[in-house]
């Protein structure tokens, strides 16, 4: 308020006008009384305002952005002052209430008010009680023209304004064109019968006016009743419109809740996919740990082979002592052959055990397949639960349809709004579906890329293992060659020892018995050593057999990995063929060894199918909702046609009633004429 006071003083100085003391004192009192409360009301009621003061106030109000209510009742405004003040208000964009009660506004004031209503877009309530706007028909028609084009005024007070039946006809034209005015007070004017009929005709085309005061206008009671019925009809329509908006809001909230539920389900599916990825990572880490263990076992076997070669050197040295040792070795070779046959039998039994273990693994994998089927059944139950919820929602929508069919008021505006909102919801839902589909496609592409990376890593590991196997085979061949060379050296030494023994026999015949005793002792020792060497050789052959078996298992695993890679390439052709090929490959691989990676791939495929099934169910649910909405729109159109027919019937009845009233009035005025009346 202090800023407004300063603005008024500044404009008075600029215009060379002496400010009115009464206005300044009132503004000062209002500032002191409203200090700290942020008042937005200017009340100059009862103060006589001059033309210059009105001009200054109009300029101040044109640029003011704080005031929302202006009260200038009983200010005895002149025609020129009122015009200047109202012209200033045309540029204001914050005032909501304007009170010009008791200022005797006439022709120029009515014209200025008409321009104000055309230009101002913020005034919601206008009080013009105790003026004379209806005295000049042309000026009042200009006022009505501005009121017809206004799009913000909701309450208008025209009490005691000398409005005639011609002014009422202008107001009827306003009611036909204006779509925002809700309350109109026309008490204590001179509207009469013709004006009442004109207003009744205007209300037939108005849908927003809910309050009309007509007391003290010499209007017949039946006309007033008809006007009240039209006003109550508009009020009922407004109430039904509000109810329809509230119901549409409830429907939109329910649709949003359904979308959120679908989103939560999608997020749960993504969580399961992440869990499957974690399981794949753990299985890959387990395979790497197992490969490390195998490498450590190979290193240990290499060390054992080296120790065995050292023992072979010792045995060759012992064999060079005598010829009997060679004969015993020949016997031992025959025994070794027999032991080889036994080892073959043992290997056959081990192979049978491995086959049994593979059958057990196959049974376990069948159990896993059964668990996956049970999960699919659970997901199917979830889908059935979602369908049940959709049916409940459909029943709720059907009840809402019945409530809508029970409404008897006009629903044209509501239909337009609901159609627009439904179109927006359709677009939003379609956009959401497209976003969900794109996200799913991105996740599937990411999973495929991850699988390809793992395949490449497994191929690289297979190549490394193949290189290690080749290196070990080369080392074994080198060890065998060294053993053959050492055996040849031992034979040469044995030949040398034979020659030495012959020379000693020729030279020392007398010490032959002693040597024979020593040789017997050495023979016993050599036999003992031969038994030990035999046992060590048997152990070596067993270890070599185990190594060969392990190498065979590694080869089979490499073959299985290659077959799995080929199966993956075939899986990309079509989903159905991919599933069948995977099942066939898994049945073939169960005979050798089931790997955790195949099971994980099958689970990923099952999850992808579940995601597709859920997407299809979601799309079907949305299509059902769209069909229901279209059926609702069709029923609403049919209801609109019925309402249109009812309105035409009501219009015909109203016209018949009006004709009957006119004939009654004309007959009463002609047949029963009374000078006093």
């Amino acid at each position: 308020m202090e800023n407004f006071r300063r603005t008024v003083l500044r404009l008075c100085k600029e215009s060379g006008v002496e400010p009115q003391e009464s206005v300044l004192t009132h503004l000062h009192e209002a500032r002191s009384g409203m200090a700290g409360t942020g008042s937005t009301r200017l009340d100059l009621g009862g103060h006589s305002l001059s033309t210059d003061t009105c001009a200054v106030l109009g300029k101040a109000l044109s640029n003011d952005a704080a005031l929302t209510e202006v009260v200038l009742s009983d200010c005895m405004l002149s025609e020129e002052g009122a015009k200047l003040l109202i012209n200033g208000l045309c540029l204001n964009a914050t005032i909501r209430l304007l009170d010009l009660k008791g200022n005797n506004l006439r022709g120029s004031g009515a014209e200025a008010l008409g321009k104000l209503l055309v230009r101002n877009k913020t005034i919601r309530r206008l009080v013009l009680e105790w003026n004379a706007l209806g005295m000049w028909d042309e000026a009042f028609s200009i006022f009505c023209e501005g009121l017809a084009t206004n799009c913000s005024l909701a309450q208008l007070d025209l009490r005691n304004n000398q409005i005639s039946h011609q002014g009422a006809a202008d107001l009827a034209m306003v009611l036909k064109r204006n779509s925002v005015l809700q309350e109109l007070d026309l008490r204590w004017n001179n509207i009469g019968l013709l004006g009442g009929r004109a207003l009744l005709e205007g209300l037939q085309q108005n849908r927003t006016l809910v309050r009309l005061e007509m007391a003290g206008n010499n209007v017949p009671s039946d006309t007033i009743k008809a006007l009240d019925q039209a006003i109550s009809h508009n009020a009922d329509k407004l109430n039904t419109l509000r109810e329809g908006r509230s119901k549409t809001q409830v429907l939109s909230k329910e649709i949003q809740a359904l979308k959120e539920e679908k989103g939560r389900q999608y997020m749960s599916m993504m969580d399961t996919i992440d869990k499957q990825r974690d399981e794949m990572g753990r299985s890959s880490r387990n395979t790497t740990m197992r490969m490390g263990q195998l490498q450590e076992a190979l290193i240990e076997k290499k060390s054992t082979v080296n120790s065995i070669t050292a023992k072979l050197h010792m045995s060759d040295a012992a064999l060079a002592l005598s010829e009997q040792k060679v004969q015993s070795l020949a016997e031992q070779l025959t025994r070794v052959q027999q032991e080889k046959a036994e080892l073959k039998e043992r290997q056959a039994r081990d192979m049978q055990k491995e086959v049994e273990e593979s059958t057990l693994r196959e049974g376990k994998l069948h159990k896993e397949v059964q668990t996956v089927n049970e999960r699919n059944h659970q997901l199917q139950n979830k889908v059935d639960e979602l369908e049940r919820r959709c049916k409940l929602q459909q029943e709720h929508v059907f009840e809402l349809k019945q409530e809508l069919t029970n409404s008897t008021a006009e629903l044209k505006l509501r239909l337009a709004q609901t159609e627009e909102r439904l179109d927006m919801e359709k677009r939003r839902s379609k956009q959401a579906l497209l976003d969900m589909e794109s996200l799913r496609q991105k996740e599937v592409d990411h999973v495929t890329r991850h699988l390809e990376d793992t395949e490449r890593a497994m191929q690289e590991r297979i190549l490394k293992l193949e290189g290690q196997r080749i290196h070990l085979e080369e080392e074994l061949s080198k060890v065998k060659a060294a053993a053959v060379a050492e055996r040849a050296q031992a034979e040469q030494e044995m030949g040398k020892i034979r020659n030495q023994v012959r020379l000693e026999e020729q030279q020392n015949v007398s010490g032959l018995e002693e040597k024979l005793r020593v040789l017997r002792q050495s023979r016993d020792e050599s036999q003992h050593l031969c038994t030990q060497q035999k046992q060590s050789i048997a152990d070596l052959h067993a270890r070599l057999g185990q190594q060969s078996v392990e190498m065979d298992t590694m080869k089979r695993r490499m073959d299985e990995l290659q077959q799995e890679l080929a199966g993956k390439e075939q899986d990309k052709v079509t989903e159905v063929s991919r599933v069948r090929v995977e099942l066939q490959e898994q049945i073939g691989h169960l005979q050798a060894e089931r790997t955790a990676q195949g099971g994980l791939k099958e689970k990923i495929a099952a999850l992808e199918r579940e995601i597709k099934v859920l997407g299809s169910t979601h799309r079907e649910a949305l299509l059902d909702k769209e069909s229901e909405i279209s059926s609702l729109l069709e029923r609403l159109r049919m209801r609109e046609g019925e309402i249109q027919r009812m309105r035409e019937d009501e219009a015909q009845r109203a016209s018949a009633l009006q004709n009957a009233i006119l004939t009654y009035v004309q007959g009463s005025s002609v047949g029963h004429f009374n000078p006093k009346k």
Side-chain angles (χ1 to χ4, degrees):
M1 191 62 73
E2 179 64 23
N3 293 330
F4 184 75
R5 181 173 174 275
R6 291 175 183 175
T7 304
V8 170
L9 291 173
R10 180 177 57 80
L11 291 173
C12 288
K13 288 180 182 180
E14 291 178 357
S15 302
V17 177
E18 187 68 23
Q20 289 184 357
E21 284 297 328
S22 60
V23 175
L24 292 178
T25 55
H26 180 75
L27 292 175
H28 182 70
E29 291 174 358
R31 178 179 65 83
S32 61
M34 297 293 180
T37 60
S39 176
T40 60
R41 179 183 175 89
L42 176 62
D43 190 356
L44 296 176
H47 294 275
S48 180
L49 302 179
S50 63
T51 304
D52 296 333
T53 303
C54 290
V56 172
L57 288 175
K59 292 180 181 178
L61 290 171
S62 64
N63 297 321
D64 186 77
L67 297 175
T68 59
E69 297 182 4
V70 176
V71 179
L72 300 174
S73 60
D74 300 324
C75 291
M76 292 184 290
L77 300 177
S78 63
E79 293 288 333
E80 186 65 25
K83 187 175 181 180
L84 293 172
L85 184 61
I86 293 169
N87 288 333
L89 289 171
C90 290
L91 301 175
N92 188 280
T94 59
I95 292 175
R96 302 289 185 271
L97 169 62
L98 178 59
D99 189 352
L100 296 175
K101 175 183 175 182
N103 285 294
N104 198 19
L105 300 178
R106 299 189 180 184
S108 59
E111 293 177 358
L113 287 171
K115 293 179 182 178
L116 173 66
L117 292 173
V118 171
R119 297 175 64 182
N120 190 283
K121 306 297 182 185
T122 59
I123 294 176
R124 297 283 297 167
R125 183 182 178 189
L126 181 59
V127 180
L128 299 174
E129 184 183 359
W130 288 104
N131 286 291
L133 298 177
M135 185 176 288
W136 303 98
D137 293 337
E138 294 179 357
F140 190 72
S141 64
I142 294 172
F143 170 77
C144 291
E145 186 66 27
L147 180 60
T149 58
N150 185 271
C151 60
S152 63
L153 188 65
Q155 299 178 3
L156 178 60
D157 190 351
L158 293 175
R159 289 179 288 178
N160 293 297
N161 270 277
Q162 301 179 15
I163 299 173
S164 63
H165 64 89
Q166 184 63 36
D170 294 333
L171 287 174
M173 294 301 294
V174 170
L175 294 177
K176 291 179 180 179
R177 296 169 58 186
N178 189 288
S179 61
V180 294
L181 187 63
Q182 296 179 359
E183 296 182 6
L184 179 61
D185 196 345
L186 297 175
R187 289 179 287 181
W188 312 110
N189 286 292
N190 299 319
I191 292 175
L193 175 62
L194 296 177
R197 290 177 180 175
L199 289 173
L200 181 60
E201 184 179 356
L203 281 175
Q204 297 297 327
Q205 299 182 15
N206 186 276
R207 298 291 179 270
T208 59
L209 192 66
V210 295
R211 183 171 174 268
L212 177 63
E213 299 291 341
M214 291 290 295
N217 282 287
N218 295 324
V219 180
S221 61
D222 53 356
T223 305
I224 291 175
K225 289 181 181 179
L227 290 171
D228 291 338
Q229 289 179 359
I231 292 297
S232 63
H233 188 61
N234 287 340
D236 293 337
K237 289 178 180 177
L238 183 62
N239 292 328
T240 54
L241 182 61
R242 289 175 181 171
E243 291 177 359
R245 288 177 181 173
S246 64
K247 289 177 181 178
T248 52
Q249 289 177 0
V250 171
L251 284 173
S252 62
K253 289 180 182 178
E254 290 179 356
I255 292 169
Q256 187 66 28
L258 285 173
K259 288 182 180 178
E260 291 177 356
E261 187 176 358
K262 299 295 184 183
R264 288 194 294 271
Q265 291 177 358
Y266 181 74
M267 292 301 294
S268 65
M269 293 299 296
M270 295 304 295
D271 292 336
T272 55
I273 290 171
D274 293 333
K275 290 178 181 178
Q276 294 295 331
R277 289 178 183 171
D278 295 335
E279 290 179 0
M280 288 179 66
R282 286 195 294 272
S283 64
S284 63
R285 287 193 293 272
N286 292 328
T287 53
T288 54
M289 290 173 65
R290 192 171 181 182
M291 294 298 293
Q293 292 175 359
L294 289 172
Q295 289 179 357
E296 291 176 356
L298 287 173
I299 292 168
E300 291 177 357
K301 289 173 182 178
K302 185 176 180 181
S303 63
T304 54
V305 168
N306 292 327
S307 64
I308 288 167
T309 53
K311 290 179 181 179
L312 285 172
H313 288 300
M314 293 173 67
S315 63
D316 290 335
L319 287 171
L321 295 173
S322 64
E323 294 177 353
Q324 294 177 358
K325 194 173 182 178
V326 174
Q327 293 176 358
S328 64
L329 286 172
E331 293 176 356
Q332 288 177 0
L333 285 173
T334 56
R335 292 175 183 175
V336 164
Q337 289 178 356
Q338 294 176 358
E339 289 176 355
K340 282 184 180 180
E342 292 177 356
L343 286 173
K344 287 181 180 180
E345 292 178 356
R346 290 178 184 176
Q347 288 180 357
R349 288 194 296 273
D350 293 334
M351 288 295 292
Q352 188 175 2
K353 289 180 180 179
E354 288 180 357
V355 170
E356 292 177 354
E357 290 177 355
S358 65
T359 54
L360 292 173
R361 290 177 183 174
E362 184 176 358
K364 290 181 180 179
L365 289 173
H366 279 298
K367 290 181 180 178
E368 290 181 356
V369 170
Q370 290 177 359
T371 55
V372 169
N373 291 326
E374 290 177 356
R375 290 181 183 175
N376 290 327
H377 185 65
Q378 292 177 359
L379 291 172
Q380 185 65 33
N381 292 329
K382 290 181 180 178
V383 170
D384 295 334
E385 182 67 19
L386 289 173
E387 290 179 353
R388 187 177 63 79
R389 291 181 181 176
C390 289
K391 288 180 180 179
L392 291 174
Q393 293 294 329
Q394 289 175 0
E395 292 175 358
H396 185 63
V397 169
F398 182 73
E399 291 176 359
L400 291 175
K401 290 177 187 178
Q402 290 179 352
E403 291 178 0
L404 287 172
T405 53
N406 292 326
S407 62
T408 58
E410 187 176 4
L411 300 173
K412 189 170 183 181
L413 294 173
R414 185 175 64 184
L415 281 172
Q417 292 178 358
T418 52
E419 286 176 354
E420 292 175 357
R421 290 181 182 178
L422 287 171
D423 292 333
M424 290 173 67
E425 290 295 331
K426 285 180 182 178
R427 290 192 293 272
R428 288 177 185 173
S429 62
K430 289 180 181 178
Q431 186 66 29
L433 279 173
L434 292 173
D435 295 338
M436 290 171 69
E437 189 69 20
S438 62
L439 288 171
R440 188 187 66 76
Q441 188 65 33
K442 288 179 182 179
E443 289 294 330
V444 172
D445 295 336
H446 181 69
V447 170
T448 54
R449 287 196 297 271
H450 182 69
L451 288 173
E452 291 175 356
D453 294 336
T454 54
E455 288 173 1
R456 287 195 293 271
M458 292 299 291
Q459 288 179 357
E460 291 175 358
R461 290 178 183 174
I462 289 165
L463 293 173
K464 289 179 182 179
L465 290 172
E466 186 68 22
Q468 291 177 0
R469 184 182 64 77
I470 293 167
H471 182 67
L472 290 172
E473 288 177 355
E474 289 175 357
E475 288 181 355
L476 286 172
S477 62
K478 289 179 181 179
V479 169
K480 289 179 180 179
V484 171
E486 289 176 356
R487 185 174 289 177
Q489 290 178 1
E491 289 178 355
Q492 290 177 2
E493 289 178 357
M494 286 174 67
K496 291 179 181 180
I497 290 168
R498 287 175 184 175
N499 294 325
Q500 289 178 2
V501 168
R502 288 174 183 175
L503 290 173
E504 288 176 357
E505 286 178 353
Q506 291 176 1
Q507 292 176 1
N508 300 317
V509 176
S510 62
L512 184 61
E513 293 179 355
E514 184 68 23
K515 288 182 180 179
L516 286 171
R517 186 177 60 80
V518 172
L519 286 171
R520 287 174 182 173
Q521 292 178 356
S522 64
R523 184 187 66 184
D524 295 333
E525 291 177 355
S526 64
Q527 287 179 356
H528 181 67
L529 289 172
C530 285
T531 55
Q532 292 179 355
Q533 291 295 327
K534 180 180 177 182
Q535 187 175 1
S536 63
I537 289 167
D539 294 333
L540 180 62
H541 281 292
R543 290 179 181 177
L544 287 172
Q546 290 178 358
Q547 288 181 358
S548 63
V549 170
E550 289 178 356
M551 291 298 293
D552 293 332
T553 55
M554 291 295 292
K555 287 180 181 180
R556 285 197 297 274
R557 288 179 184 176
M558 290 169 64
D559 295 333
E560 289 172 0
L561 291 172
Q562 290 178 357
Q563 290 176 1
E564 286 178 356
L565 292 173
K568 288 179 183 177
E569 292 178 355
Q570 293 177 358
D571 290 339
K572 295 178 182 177
V573 179
T574 54
E575 293 182 354
V576 177
S577 62
R578 180 170 59 80
V579 173
R580 292 177 180 174
V581 171
E582 284 180 356
L583 290 172
Q584 291 176 0
E585 289 178 354
Q586 288 172 2
I587 291 168
H589 296 316
L590 286 172
Q591 296 176 359
E593 184 178 2
R594 281 281 185 176
T595 59
Q597 187 176 4
L600 291 173
K601 290 177 184 178
E602 186 177 0
K603 291 178 182 178
I604 290 168
L607 287 172
E608 289 179 354
R609 289 194 296 273
E610 290 173 2
I611 290 168
K612 289 182 180 180
V613 170
L614 287 174
S616 63
T617 54
H618 293 169
R619 285 194 292 272
E620 291 176 357
L622 288 172
L623 291 173
D624 294 335
K625 292 290 183 184
E626 289 178 356
S627 63
E628 290 176 2
I629 289 165
S630 62
S631 64
L632 277 172
L633 291 174
E634 186 65 27
R635 291 186 178 179
L636 287 174
R637 292 191 187 94
M638 293 171 67
R639 188 63 182 172
E640 184 183 1
E642 292 177 359
I643 291 167
Q644 186 68 26
R645 289 194 296 273
M646 290 172 68
R647 187 170 59 189
E648 290 175 357
D649 294 337
E650 288 180 358
Q652 290 177 2
R653 291 176 183 175
S655 62
L657 181 60
Q658 185 177 4
N659 293 326
I661 290 167
L662 289 173
T663 55
Y664 174 72
V665 171
Q666 290 174 2
S668 63
S669 62
V670 175
H672 302 283
F673 178 77
N674 192 349
K676 292 181 181 181
K677 293 181 180 180

